Amino acid sequence: MKQTLFLLLVAGAILGQSSPELRDLSIRPHVGPRSIPSFTVDGEVYRAVGVTLADLVMLGYGVRPTQLAGRLQWMTSEQFDIEAKASGVGAPSWKLAKPMLQAILVDRFRLKVHQTTLEVPAYDLLVANGGPRFTEHSDPAWFEQRFAQSSSSSAVHIVATRTGLARLASVLTTSTDHPVVDKTGLEGAYDFKLDWAPDYSPAAMDGSAPTLFRALQEQLGLKLEPSVTRKEILVIESADKPSAN
């Protein structure tokens, strides 16, 4: 039964299986037009299609794009198709896939990395002039936190119930590609909605829909201000393109 990477992440936290033994590893340059990367598991077989070295490093080491430094020119441009078999019974979990990916990176890509802590550009999430435009959750019988996000090339929608602003800051980190630190000082659980258009979308460019920065101020009474923060970074020292097999 095939599982997506998202399901692997969830299953890995539950199953806690031991590391697999690699066999029958095949790595080939991706043929055809550029594709959306995919990572699946089918029984004992791992398949990665249209993945770059950067994709594999982020998956294998659990880091975001903003946590990678020292990138090689081909690291995000050249795609590969990978197939490997792992000994074991049943569909492997993410805890199995992660060390396997690290082994592939070291053995076939000759990857060398080290971790460090650097000062990086960030945003502080603050209360804008006029104060917040959302309310604290008031239903004493409601204990569940809900946070729903839907995205497309033209719009992003967030609906939150009984949610802290640290969760919002985490989502904004992904949306801005910069760490977002909650410095609002608001520590309650809140209900709010947020809708914006990506900067590159026609609606944002012609002003018919707000960008993220504008939406935060108009809809939530919050703002993002440029800042810096210290962050763990994975530094790529060197890597080789693998020979096809």
Side-chain angles (χ1 to χ4, degrees):
M1 178 179 176
K2 293 186 178 181
Q3 301 178 28
T4 64
L5 176 61
F6 174 76
L7 293 179
L8 288 174
L9 288 167
V10 175
I14 299 173
L15 299 179
Q17 302 170 22
S18 57
S19 298
E21 181 178 336
L22 284 176
R23 54 189 173 88
D24 300 330
L25 172 63
S26 170
I27 301 179
R28 300 178 183 277
H30 180 69
V31 178
R34 190 170 184 86
S35 66
I36 297 175
S38 67
F39 186 95
T40 60
V41 178
D42 190 358
E44 294 181 342
V45 181
Y46 295 80
R47 290 189 181 91
V49 178
V51 294
T52 65
L53 176 58
D55 294 328
L56 293 173
V57 171
M58 287 187 286
L59 292 174
Y61 289 87
V63 297
R64 297 175 180 269
T66 54
Q67 291 176 278
L68 285 180
R71 301 183 187 182
L72 309 172
Q73 277 191 332
W74 57 273
M75 187 173 172
T76 58
S77 59
E78 298 198 19
Q79 293 184 303
F80 302 91
D81 296 338
I82 299 174
E83 182 172 304
K85 292 183 179 179
S87 59
V89 179
S93 73
W94 170 241
K95 284 191 175 181
L96 296 180
K98 188 173 179 179
M100 189 197 72
L101 287 174
Q102 291 183 8
I104 291 173
L105 287 165
V106 172
D107 181 58
R108 294 298 303 277
F109 287 85
R110 306 299 180 192
L111 179 72
K112 294 182 179 179
V113 299
H114 72 269
Q115 287 187 315
T116 187
T117 302
L118 298 177
E119 199 170 70
V120 297
Y123 289 110
D124 289 340
L125 180 64
L126 303 168
V127 177
N129 292 336
R133 299 184 178 180
F134 49 89
T135 58
E136 193 160 5
H137 186 77
S138 58
D139 185 352
W142 187 288
F143 296 100
E144 182 182 3
Q145 179 187 111
R146 289 184 181 177
F147 193 99
Q149 178 180 358
S150 60
S151 304
S152 68
S153 60
S154 59
V156 182
H157 308 282
I158 288 176
V159 179
T161 304
R162 199 176 180 273
T163 300
L165 295 185
R167 177 68 182 277
L168 176 62
S170 177
V171 171
L172 297 182
T173 292
T174 302
S175 299
T176 62
D177 278 338
H178 283 73
V180 175
V181 182
D182 175 21
K183 291 190 177 181
T184 61
L186 302 175
E187 299 179 354
Y190 304 96
D191 299 340
F192 57 85
K193 296 180 181 180
L194 183 63
D195 300 288
W196 77 90
D199 292 344
Y200 54 81
S201 66
M205 295 177 69
D206 66 19
S208 60
T211 61
L212 172 58
F213 286 72
R214 178 179 145 198
L216 277 171
Q217 294 209 39
E218 292 179 352
Q219 299 170 28
L220 298 185
L222 302 176
K223 61 181 180 179
L224 293 175
E225 287 195 351
S227 180
V228 294
T229 189
R230 297 195 66 81
K231 190 172 187 178
E232 288 190 359
I233 301 294
L234 187 70
V235 181
I236 309 298
E237 297 178 6
S238 62
D240 297 333
K241 297 178 185 179
S243 56
N245 68 315

